Amino acid sequence: MNSGSILLLLTYFIFLSSCRYSHYNPQNNQQKAIFIDRIENLSFAPQVGSLLRNKIREHIIKRARYKLVSQIQKSDLVIKLTFKNYQKTPEFYSPRDTILASGVSLNLEVVLNLFNKDGDTLIRDYVIKEGSSLLRQNSQGIPSDRQTLVSLSDACAKSISIQLENYSW
């Protein structure tokens, strides 16, 4: 055998003995039905409940690990969320910045609770902390935090979706 065929044979055996990674296929595995029960807002975050509910639905549907249901009776899992500690603070990026060059930093804590259909707690009081920043578009404009709330909701929903997927059954 020459060195080329030995190298080809060695490469073939390396590929055969690799890490055996396989993509998650929801059709092969039994999907669990999940219901988003209650989003309680104990903070002063405006309209973040509906934004977060929509973003969570979007992330769960996109990742296809769970099936969303609209009735709690049809669900295997129930999510309950609570918002706490919403903070909106000014943000300066340079010590020489004036108030006109400032931005706003939004921070929010979301407490995640996950229950099975029997009411047993699977995840209790898991705290997710997320933040988002907003800059003024120009010195005359007043910054609108609507887009930052959408970004903050998306970051929270992504963290919640990842936490649900990484939960060890």
Side-chain angles (χ1 to χ4, degrees), residues 24-105:
Y24 175 75
N25 188 353
Q27 282 76 27
N28 293 342
N29 296 335
Q30 183 66 23
Q31 276 185 314
K32 292 190 181 279
I34 197 164
F35 177 73
I36 303 170
D37 183 21
R38 180 177 49 198
I39 298 180
E40 190 175 4
N41 191 355
L42 300 179
S43 70
F44 291 111
Q47 301 173 349
V48 77
S50 61
L51 289 172
L52 185 62
R53 181 181 293 274
N54 291 337
K55 291 294 182 178
I56 289 173
R57 289 178 180 278
E58 180 181 311
H59 280 280
I60 288 174
I61 290 169
K62 188 187 307 182
R63 296 172 87 80
R65 179 71 181 241
Y66 299 103
K67 179 175 68 170
L68 280 173
V69 293
S70 59
Q71 296 175 356
I72 197 167
Q73 296 82 8
K74 295 180 181 179
S75 69
D76 298 319
L77 303 169
V78 178
I79 299 174
K80 292 184 182 176
L81 301 169
T82 305
F83 299 138
K84 293 182 177 181
N85 298 337
Y86 173 74
Q87 296 174 343
K88 183 177 179 180
T89 56
E91 196 171 52
F92 298 94
Y93 298 98
S94 171
R96 296 179 303 221
D97 282 348
T98 64
I99 193 72
L100 295 177
S102 69
V104 176
S105 173

Coordinates of all heavy atoms in Angstrom, one line a residue, residues 24-105:
Y24 N -31.3 17.3 16.1 CA -32.6 17.0 16.8 C -33.7 17.0 15.7 O -33.9 17.9 15.0 CB -32.9 18.0 17.9 CG -34.2 17.8 18.5 CD1 -34.4 16.7 19.4 CD2 -35.3 18.6 18.2 CE1 -35.7 16.5 19.9 CE2 -36.5 18.4 18.7 CZ -36.7 17.4 19.6 OH -37.9 17.2 20.2
N25 N -34.4 15.9 15.6 CA -35.5 15.8 14.7 C -36.8 15.6 15.5 O -37.0 14.5 16.1 CB -35.3 14.6 13.7 CG -36.3 14.6 12.6 OD1 -37.3 15.4 12.6 ND2 -36.1 13.7 11.7
P26 N -37.7 16.6 15.5 CA -38.9 16.5 16.3 C -39.9 15.3 15.9 O -40.7 14.9 16.6 CB -39.6 17.8 16.2 CG -39.0 18.5 15.1 CD -37.6 17.9 14.9
Q27 N -39.8 14.9 14.6 CA -40.6 13.8 14.2 C -40.2 12.5 14.8 O -41.1 11.6 14.9 CB -40.6 13.7 12.6 CG -41.5 14.8 11.9 CD -40.8 16.2 11.9 OE1 -39.6 16.3 12.0 NE2 -41.6 17.2 11.9
N28 N -38.9 12.3 15.1 CA -38.5 11.1 15.6 C -38.7 11.0 17.1 O -38.9 9.9 17.7 CB -37.0 10.9 15.4 CG -36.7 10.7 13.9 OD1 -37.6 10.4 13.1 ND2 -35.5 10.9 13.5
N29 N -38.7 12.1 17.8 CA -38.9 12.1 19.3 C -40.3 12.6 19.6 O -40.9 13.4 18.9 CB -37.9 13.0 19.9 CG -36.5 12.5 19.7 OD1 -36.3 11.3 19.5 ND2 -35.5 13.4 19.8
Q30 N -40.8 12.2 20.7 CA -42.1 12.6 21.1 C -42.0 14.0 21.7 O -41.3 14.3 22.6 CB -42.6 11.7 22.3 CG -44.0 12.0 22.8 CD -45.1 11.8 21.7 OE1 -44.9 11.0 20.8 NE2 -46.2 12.4 21.9
Q31 N -42.7 15.0 21.0 CA -42.7 16.4 21.5 C -43.6 16.5 22.7 O -44.7 15.9 22.8 CB -43.2 17.3 20.4 CG -42.3 17.7 19.3 CD -42.9 18.7 18.4 OE1 -44.0 18.5 17.9 NE2 -42.2 19.7 18.1
K32 N -43.1 17.3 23.6 CA -43.9 17.6 24.8 C -44.7 18.9 24.5 O -44.2 19.8 23.9 CB -43.1 17.9 26.0 CG -42.4 16.6 26.5 CD -41.7 16.8 27.8 CE -41.1 15.6 28.3 NZ -41.9 14.6 28.9
A33 N -46.0 18.9 24.9 CA -46.8 20.1 24.7 C -46.6 21.0 25.8 O -46.5 20.6 27.0 CB -48.3 19.6 24.6
I34 N -46.5 22.3 25.5 CA -46.2 23.3 26.5 C -47.2 24.4 26.5 O -47.6 24.8 25.4 CB -44.7 23.8 26.4 CG1 -44.2 24.5 27.6 CG2 -44.6 24.7 25.1 CD1 -42.7 24.7 27.7
F35 N -47.6 24.9 27.6 CA -48.6 26.0 27.7 C -47.9 27.2 28.5 O -47.4 26.9 29.6 CB -49.8 25.5 28.4 CG -50.9 26.5 28.7 CD1 -51.6 27.0 27.6 CD2 -51.1 27.0 29.9 CE1 -52.6 27.9 27.9 CE2 -52.1 28.0 30.2 CZ -52.8 28.4 29.1
I36 N -48.1 28.4 28.0 CA -47.6 29.6 28.7 C -48.8 30.1 29.5 O -49.7 30.7 29.0 CB -47.0 30.6 27.7 CG1 -45.9 30.0 26.9 CG2 -46.5 31.8 28.5 CD1 -45.5 30.9 25.7
D37 N -48.7 29.8 30.8 CA -49.9 30.1 31.7 C -50.0 31.5 32.1 O -51.0 32.2 31.7 CB -49.8 29.2 32.9 CG -51.0 29.4 33.8 OD1 -52.1 29.8 33.3 OD2 -50.9 29.0 35.0
R38 N -49.1 32.0 32.8 CA -49.3 33.3 33.4 C -48.0 34.1 33.3 O -46.9 33.6 33.6 CB -49.7 33.2 34.8 CG -49.9 34.5 35.5 CD -50.5 34.3 36.9 NE -49.7 33.3 37.6 CZ -50.1 32.7 38.7 NH1 -51.3 32.9 39.2 NH2 -49.3 31.8 39.3
I39 N -48.1 35.3 32.9 CA -46.9 36.2 33.0 C -47.3 37.4 33.9 O -48.2 38.2 33.6 CB -46.5 36.8 31.6 CG1 -46.1 35.6 30.7 CG2 -45.4 37.8 31.7 CD1 -45.7 36.0 29.3
E40 N -46.7 37.4 35.1 CA -47.0 38.3 36.1 C -46.0 39.4 36.1 O -44.8 39.2 36.2 CB -47.0 37.6 37.5 CG -47.6 38.4 38.6 CD -47.7 37.6 39.9 OE1 -47.2 36.4 39.9 OE2 -48.1 38.1 40.9
N41 N -46.4 40.7 36.1 CA -45.5 41.8 36.0 C -45.5 42.5 37.4 O -46.4 43.2 37.8 CB -46.0 42.8 35.0 CG -45.0 43.9 34.7 OD1 -43.9 43.9 35.3 ND2 -45.2 44.7 33.7
L42 N -44.5 42.2 38.2 CA -44.3 42.9 39.5 C -43.3 44.1 39.4 O -42.7 44.5 40.4 CB -43.8 41.9 40.5 CG -44.7 40.7 40.8 CD1 -44.1 39.8 41.8 CD2 -46.0 41.2 41.3
S43 N -43.0 44.5 38.2 CA -42.1 45.6 37.9 C -42.9 46.7 37.2 O -44.1 46.6 37.0 CB -41.0 45.1 37.0 OG -41.5 44.9 35.7
F44 N -42.2 47.8 36.9 CA -42.8 48.9 36.2 C -42.5 48.8 34.7 O -42.6 49.9 34.0 CB -42.3 50.2 36.8 CG -42.8 50.5 38.2 CD1 -41.9 50.5 39.2 CD2 -44.1 50.7 38.4 CE1 -42.3 50.7 40.5 CE2 -44.5 51.0 39.7 CZ -43.6 50.9 40.8
A45 N -42.2 47.7 34.2 CA -41.9 47.5 32.8 C -43.2 47.7 32.0 O -44.1 46.9 32.1 CB -41.2 46.2 32.5
P46 N -43.3 48.6 31.1 CA -44.5 48.8 30.3 C -44.6 47.9 29.2 O -43.7 47.7 28.4 CB -44.4 50.3 29.8 CG -42.9 50.5 29.7 CD -42.3 49.7 30.8
Q47 N -45.8 47.2 29.1 CA -46.1 46.3 27.9 C -45.2 45.2 27.7 O -45.2 44.6 26.6 CB -46.3 47.2 26.7 CG -47.3 48.3 26.8 CD -47.2 49.2 25.5 OE1 -46.3 49.1 24.7 NE2 -48.2 50.1 25.4
V48 N -44.3 44.9 28.6 CA -43.3 43.8 28.3 C -44.0 42.4 28.4 O -43.4 41.5 27.8 CB -42.1 44.0 29.3 CG1 -42.4 43.5 30.6 CG2 -40.9 43.3 28.7
G49 N -45.1 42.3 29.1 CA -45.7 41.0 29.2 C -46.2 40.4 27.8 O -45.9 39.3 27.5
S50 N -46.9 41.2 27.0 CA -47.3 40.8 25.7 C -46.2 40.6 24.8 O -46.2 39.7 23.9 CB -48.4 41.8 25.2 OG -47.8 43.0 25.0
L51 N -45.2 41.5 24.9 CA -44.0 41.4 24.0 C -43.3 40.1 24.3 O -42.9 39.3 23.4 CB -43.0 42.5 24.2 CG -43.5 43.9 23.7 CD1 -42.5 45.0 24.2 CD2 -43.5 43.9 22.2
L52 N -43.1 39.8 25.6 CA -42.3 38.5 25.9 C -43.1 37.3 25.6 O -42.6 36.3 25.1 CB -42.0 38.5 27.4 CG -41.2 37.4 27.9 CD1 -39.8 37.4 27.2 CD2 -41.0 37.4 29.4
R53 N -44.4 37.3 25.8 CA -45.3 36.2 25.4 C -45.1 35.9 23.9 O -44.9 34.7 23.5 CB -46.7 36.4 25.7 CG -47.6 35.2 25.4 CD -49.1 35.5 25.7 NE -49.3 35.6 27.1 CZ -49.5 34.6 28.0 NH1 -49.6 33.4 27.5 NH2 -49.8 34.8 29.2
N54 N -45.2 36.9 23.1 CA -45.0 36.7 21.6 C -43.6 36.2 21.3 O -43.5 35.3 20.4 CB -45.3 38.0 20.9 CG -46.8 38.4 20.9 OD1 -47.6 37.5 21.2 ND2 -47.0 39.7 20.8
K55 N -42.6 36.7 21.9 CA -41.2 36.3 21.6 C -41.0 34.9 22.1 O -40.2 34.1 21.4 CB -40.2 37.3 22.2 CG -40.2 38.6 21.6 CD -39.7 38.6 20.2 CE -39.6 39.9 19.5 NZ -39.1 39.8 18.2
I56 N -41.5 34.5 23.2 CA -41.3 33.1 23.7 C -42.0 32.2 22.7 O -41.4 31.1 22.3 CB -41.9 32.9 25.1 CG1 -41.1 33.6 26.1 CG2 -42.0 31.5 25.5 CD1 -41.7 33.6 27.5
R57 N -43.2 32.5 22.3 CA -43.9 31.7 21.3 C -43.0 31.5 20.0 O -42.9 30.5 19.4 CB -45.2 32.2 20.9 CG -46.2 32.1 22.0 CD -47.6 32.8 21.6 NE -48.5 32.6 22.7 CZ -49.3 31.6 22.9 NH1 -49.2 30.5 22.1 NH2 -50.1 31.6 23.9
E58 N -42.5 32.7 19.6 CA -41.7 32.7 18.4 C -40.4 31.8 18.5 O -40.1 31.0 17.6 CB -41.2 34.1 18.1 CG -40.4 34.3 16.9 CD -40.0 35.8 16.7 OE1 -40.9 36.6 16.8 OE2 -38.8 36.0 16.5
H59 N -39.7 31.8 19.7 CA -38.5 31.0 19.9 C -38.9 29.6 20.0 O -38.1 28.7 19.5 CB -37.8 31.5 21.1 CG -36.9 32.7 20.8 ND1 -35.7 32.6 20.2 CD2 -37.1 34.1 21.0 CE1 -35.2 33.8 20.0 NE2 -36.0 34.7 20.5
I60 N -40.0 29.2 20.7 CA -40.3 27.8 20.9 C -40.7 27.2 19.6 O -40.3 26.1 19.2 CB -41.5 27.7 21.9 CG1 -40.9 28.0 23.3 CG2 -42.1 26.3 21.9 CD1 -41.9 28.0 24.4
I61 N -41.5 28.0 18.7 CA -41.9 27.5 17.4 C -40.7 27.3 16.5 O -40.5 26.3 15.8 CB -42.9 28.4 16.8 CG1 -44.3 28.2 17.6 CG2 -43.1 28.1 15.3 CD1 -45.3 29.3 17.2
K62 N -39.8 28.3 16.6 CA -38.6 28.3 15.7 C -37.7 27.1 16.0 O -37.1 26.4 15.1 CB -37.8 29.6 15.9 CG -36.7 29.7 14.9 CD -35.8 31.0 15.2 CE -36.6 32.2 15.3 NZ -35.8 33.4 15.5
R63 N -37.5 26.8 17.3 CA -36.6 25.7 17.7 C -37.3 24.3 17.6 O -36.6 23.3 17.6 CB -36.1 26.0 19.1 CG -35.2 27.3 19.1 CD -34.9 27.7 20.5 NE -33.6 27.1 20.9 CZ -32.4 27.5 20.6 NH1 -32.3 28.5 19.8 NH2 -31.4 27.0 21.2
A64 N -38.6 24.2 17.6 CA -39.3 23.0 17.3 C -39.1 21.9 18.3 O -39.2 20.7 18.0 CB -39.1 22.5 15.9
R65 N -38.7 22.2 19.5 CA -38.5 21.2 20.6 C -39.8 20.9 21.3 O -40.0 19.7 21.7 CB -37.4 21.7 21.6 CG -37.1 20.8 22.7 CD -36.3 19.6 22.2 NE -36.0 18.7 23.3 CZ -34.8 18.4 23.7 NH1 -33.7 18.9 23.0 NH2 -34.6 17.6 24.6
Y66 N -40.6 21.9 21.5 CA -41.9 21.7 22.1 C -43.0 22.1 21.2 O -42.8 22.9 20.2 CB -42.0 22.6 23.4 CG -40.9 22.3 24.4 CD1 -39.8 23.1 24.5 CD2 -41.1 21.2 25.2 CE1 -38.8 22.8 25.5 CE2 -40.1 20.8 26.2 CZ -39.0 21.7 26.3 OH -38.0 21.3 27.2
K67 N -44.2 21.6 21.5 CA -45.4 22.0 20.7 C -46.2 22.9 21.6 O -46.5 22.6 22.8 CB -46.2 20.7 20.4 CG -47.5 21.0 19.7 CD -48.1 19.7 19.2 CE -48.7 19.0 20.5 NZ -49.5 17.9 20.2
L68 N -46.5 24.1 21.1 CA -47.3 25.1 21.9 C -48.8 24.7 21.8 O -49.3 24.3 20.7 CB -47.2 26.5 21.3 CG -45.9 27.2 21.8 CD1 -45.8 28.5 21.0 CD2 -45.9 27.5 23.2
V69 N -49.5 24.7 23.0 CA -50.9 24.5 23.0 C -51.6 25.7 23.6 O -51.0 26.4 24.4 CB -51.2 23.2 23.8 CG1 -50.7 22.0 23.0 CG2 -50.7 23.2 25.2
S70 N -52.9 25.8 23.3 CA -53.6 27.0 23.8 C -54.5 26.7 25.0 O -55.1 27.6 25.5 CB -54.5 27.6 22.7 OG -55.3 26.6 22.2
Q71 N -54.5 25.4 25.4 CA -55.3 25.0 26.5 C -54.4 24.2 27.5 O -53.7 23.4 27.1 CB -56.5 24.1 26.1 CG -57.5 24.8 25.2 CD -58.6 23.9 24.7 OE1 -58.5 22.7 25.0 NE2 -59.5 24.4 24.0
I72 N -54.6 24.6 28.8 CA -53.7 24.0 29.8 C -54.0 22.5 29.9 O -53.2 21.7 30.3 CB -53.9 24.7 31.1 CG1 -52.8 24.4 32.1 CG2 -55.2 24.4 31.8 CD1 -52.7 25.3 33.3
Q73 N -55.2 22.0 29.6 CA -55.6 20.6 29.7 C -54.8 19.7 28.7 O -54.6 18.6 29.0 CB -57.1 20.4 29.5 CG -58.0 21.1 30.6 CD -58.2 22.5 30.3 OE1 -57.9 23.1 29.3 NE2 -58.8 23.2 31.3
K74 N -54.4 20.3 27.6 CA -53.7 19.6 26.6 C -52.2 19.6 26.7 O -51.5 19.0 25.9 CB -54.1 20.1 25.2 CG -55.5 20.0 24.8 CD -55.8 20.6 23.4 CE -57.2 20.4 23.0 NZ -57.5 21.0 21.7
S75 N -51.7 20.2 27.8 CA -50.3 20.4 27.9 C -49.6 19.4 28.8 O -50.3 18.8 29.7 CB -50.0 21.8 28.5 OG -50.4 21.9 29.8
D76 N -48.4 19.1 28.5 CA -47.5 18.3 29.4 C -46.8 19.2 30.4 O -46.4 18.7 31.5 CB -46.5 17.5 28.6 CG -47.2 16.6 27.6 OD1 -48.2 15.9 28.0 OD2 -46.7 16.4 26.5
L77 N -46.5 20.4 30.0 CA -45.7 21.3 30.8 C -46.4 22.7 30.8 O -47.0 23.1 29.9 CB -44.3 21.5 30.2 CG -43.4 20.2 30.0 CD1 -42.2 20.5 29.2 CD2 -43.1 19.7 31.4
V78 N -46.2 23.4 31.9 CA -46.8 24.7 32.1 C -45.7 25.7 32.5 O -45.0 25.4 33.5 CB -47.9 24.7 33.2 CG1 -48.5 26.1 33.4 CG2 -49.0 23.7 32.7
I79 N -45.6 26.8 31.9 CA -44.6 27.9 32.2 C -45.4 29.0 32.9 O -46.4 29.4 32.5 CB -44.0 28.5 30.9 CG1 -43.3 27.4 30.1 CG2 -43.1 29.6 31.3 CD1 -42.7 27.9 28.8
K80 N -44.8 29.4 34.0 CA -45.3 30.6 34.7 C -44.1 31.6 34.9 O -43.0 31.2 35.3 CB -45.8 30.3 36.1 CG -47.1 29.5 36.0 CD -47.8 29.3 37.3 CE -49.0 28.5 37.1 NZ -49.7 28.1 38.4
L81 N -44.2 32.8 34.5 CA -43.2 33.8 34.5 C -43.6 35.0 35.4 O -44.7 35.4 35.4 CB -42.9 34.3 33.1 CG -42.5 33.3 32.1 CD1 -42.4 33.8 30.7 CD2 -41.1 32.7 32.4
T82 N -42.6 35.6 36.0 CA -42.8 36.8 36.8 C -41.7 37.8 36.5 O -40.5 37.4 36.5 CB -42.7 36.4 38.3 OG1 -43.7 35.4 38.6 CG2 -43.0 37.7 39.2
F83 N -42.0 39.0 36.2 CA -41.1 40.1 36.0 C -40.8 40.8 37.3 O -41.7 41.1 38.1 CB -41.6 41.1 35.0 CG -41.9 40.6 33.7 CD1 -43.1 41.0 33.1 CD2 -41.1 39.7 33.0 CE1 -43.4 40.5 31.8 CE2 -41.4 39.2 31.8 CZ -42.6 39.6 31.2
K84 N -39.5 41.0 37.5 CA -39.0 41.8 38.7 C -37.9 42.7 38.3 O -37.2 42.5 37.3 CB -38.5 40.8 39.8 CG -39.6 39.9 40.4 CD -39.0 39.0 41.5 CE -40.1 38.2 42.1 NZ -39.5 37.3 43.2
N85 N -37.7 43.7 39.1 CA -36.5 44.5 39.1 C -36.3 45.1 37.7 O -35.2 45.0 37.2 CB -35.3 43.8 39.6 CG -35.4 43.4 41.0 OD1 -36.2 43.9 41.8 ND2 -34.6 42.3 41.4
Y86 N -37.2 45.8 37.1 CA -37.0 46.5 35.9 C -36.3 47.8 36.2 O -36.7 48.6 37.1 CB -38.4 46.8 35.3 CG -38.3 47.7 34.1 CD1 -37.9 47.3 32.9 CD2 -38.8 49.0 34.1 CE1 -37.8 48.1 31.7 CE2 -38.8 49.9 33.0 CZ -38.3 49.4 31.9 OH -38.2 50.2 30.8
Q87 N -35.2 48.1 35.5 CA -34.5 49.3 35.8 C -34.2 50.0 34.5 O -33.9 49.4 33.5 CB -33.1 49.0 36.4 CG -33.3 48.4 37.8 CD -31.9 47.9 38.3 OE1 -31.0 47.8 37.6 NE2 -31.9 47.7 39.6
K88 N -34.4 51.3 34.5 CA -34.1 52.1 33.3 C -33.2 53.2 33.8 O -33.6 54.1 34.6 CB -35.4 52.7 32.8 CG -35.3 53.6 31.6 CD -36.7 54.0 31.2 CE -36.6 54.9 29.9 NZ -38.0 55.3 29.5
T89 N -31.9 53.1 33.4 CA -30.9 54.0 33.9 C -30.2 54.7 32.7 O -30.0 54.1 31.7 CB -29.8 53.2 34.7 OG1 -29.3 52.2 34.0 CG2 -30.5 52.7 36.0
P90 N -29.7 56.0 33.0 CA -29.0 56.6 31.9 C -27.6 56.0 31.7 O -27.1 55.4 32.6 CB -28.8 58.1 32.4 CG -29.2 58.0 33.8 CD -30.0 56.8 34.1
E91 N -27.1 56.1 30.5 CA -25.9 55.4 30.1 C -25.0 56.4 29.3 O -25.5 56.9 28.4 CB -26.3 54.2 29.3 CG -25.2 53.2 29.1 CD -25.8 51.9 28.5 OE1 -26.4 52.0 27.4 OE2 -25.6 50.8 29.1
F92 N -23.8 56.5 29.8 CA -22.8 57.4 29.1 C -21.7 56.5 28.6 O -21.2 55.6 29.4 CB -22.3 58.5 30.0 CG -23.4 59.4 30.5 CD1 -24.1 59.2 31.7 CD2 -23.8 60.5 29.7 CE1 -25.1 60.0 32.1 CE2 -24.8 61.3 30.1 CZ -25.5 61.1 31.3
Y93 N -21.2 56.8 27.4 CA -20.2 55.9 26.9 C -18.8 56.5 27.0 O -17.8 55.8 26.7 CB -20.5 55.6 25.4 CG -21.8 54.8 25.3 CD1 -23.0 55.4 25.1 CD2 -21.8 53.5 25.6 CE1 -24.2 54.7 25.0 CE2 -23.0 52.7 25.6 CZ -24.2 53.4 25.3 OH -25.4 52.7 25.3
S94 N -18.7 57.8 27.3 CA -17.4 58.4 27.5 C -17.6 59.5 28.6 O -18.6 60.1 28.7 CB -17.0 59.1 26.1 OG -15.9 59.9 26.3
P95 N -16.5 59.7 29.4 CA -16.6 60.7 30.4 C -16.9 62.1 29.9 O -17.3 62.9 30.6 CB -15.3 60.6 31.2 CG -14.7 59.3 30.7 CD -15.3 58.9 29.4
R96 N -16.5 62.3 28.7 CA -16.7 63.7 28.1 C -18.1 63.8 27.5 O -18.4 64.9 27.0 CB -15.6 63.9 27.0 CG -14.2 63.9 27.6 CD -13.3 64.1 26.5 NE -13.5 63.1 25.5 CZ -12.5 62.4 24.9 NH1 -11.3 62.7 25.1 NH2 -12.8 61.5 24.0
D97 N -18.9 62.8 27.4 CA -20.2 62.9 26.9 C -21.1 63.8 27.7 O -21.0 63.9 28.9 CB -20.9 61.5 26.8 CG -20.4 60.7 25.7 OD1 -19.7 61.2 24.8 OD2 -20.7 59.5 25.7
T98 N -22.0 64.6 27.0 CA -23.0 65.4 27.6 C -24.3 64.6 27.8 O -24.4 63.5 27.3 CB -23.2 66.7 26.8 OG1 -23.8 66.3 25.5 CG2 -22.0 67.5 26.6
I99 N -25.2 65.2 28.4 CA -26.5 64.5 28.5 C -27.2 64.3 27.2 O -28.0 63.3 27.0 CB -27.4 65.4 29.5 CG1 -28.7 64.5 29.9 CG2 -27.9 66.6 28.8 CD1 -28.3 63.5 30.9
L100 N -26.9 65.1 26.2 CA -27.4 64.9 24.8 C -26.9 63.7 24.1 O -27.5 63.2 23.2 CB -27.2 66.2 24.0 CG -27.9 67.4 24.5 CD1 -27.5 68.6 23.6 CD2 -29.4 67.2 24.5
A101 N -25.7 63.2 24.5 CA -25.1 62.0 23.9 C -25.4 60.8 24.7 O -24.8 59.7 24.4 CB -23.6 62.3 23.8
S102 N -26.2 60.9 25.7 CA -26.5 59.7 26.5 C -27.4 58.7 25.9 O -28.1 59.0 24.9 CB -27.0 60.2 27.9 OG -28.3 60.7 27.7
G103 N -27.5 57.6 26.5 CA -28.4 56.6 26.1 C -29.1 56.1 27.3 O -29.0 56.7 28.4
V104 N -29.9 55.0 27.2 CA -30.6 54.4 28.3 C -30.3 52.9 28.3 O -30.3 52.3 27.3 CB -32.1 54.7 28.1 CG1 -32.9 54.0 29.2 CG2 -32.4 56.2 28.1
S105 N -30.1 52.4 29.5 CA -29.9 51.0 29.7 C -31.1 50.4 30.4 O -31.6 51.0 31.4 CB -28.7 50.8 30.6 OG -28.5 49.4 30.9

